[in-house]
Amino acid sequence: MAKHPVPKKKVSKSRRDIRRAAVSTLTAPTLIKCANCGAMIPPHTVCDSCGYYAGKKVLEIRA
């Protein structure tokens, strides 16, 4: 019969919970200021407010 790995010592509830919590921590989304209008936008995306991307007008924003 094949032996399978088993824990050498019991893991405390605190250590177990700390390990589990480390995976599920949420981080705030990264936002940058639009160089054209100053609105906060995710990096590498077209600005929803003014339609600029990397200093060039790429979208026509309708009012």
Side-chain angles (χ1 to χ4, degrees), residues 17-42:
D17 293 345
I18 289 168
R19 184 182 65 243
R20 288 180 184 170
V23 174
S24 64
T25 54
L26 296 174
T27 57
T30 305
L31 296 175
I32 60 166
K33 259 188 177 175
C34 172
N36 189 54
C37 70
M40 297 305 282
I41 59 169

Side-chain angles (χ1 to χ4, degrees), residues 1-62:
M1 198 161 156
K3 292 186 179 183
H4 57 281
V6 293
K8 192 163 192 171
K9 300 261 184 192
K10 179 177 179 175
V11 177
S12 71
K13 292 179 187 104
S14 175
R15 278 199 182 274
R16 176 201 64 199
D17 293 345
I18 289 168
R19 184 182 65 243
R20 288 180 184 170
V23 174
S24 64
T25 54
L26 296 174
T27 57
T30 305
L31 296 175
I32 60 166
K33 259 188 177 175
C34 172
N36 189 54
C37 70
M40 297 305 282
I41 59 169
H44 309 289
T45 58
V46 177
C47 180
D48 291 333
S49 302
C50 63
Y52 273 72
Y53 179 74
K56 297 176 187 159
K57 183 107 173 147
V58 293
L59 271 181
E60 192 62 43
I61 304 298
R62 287 181 251 167

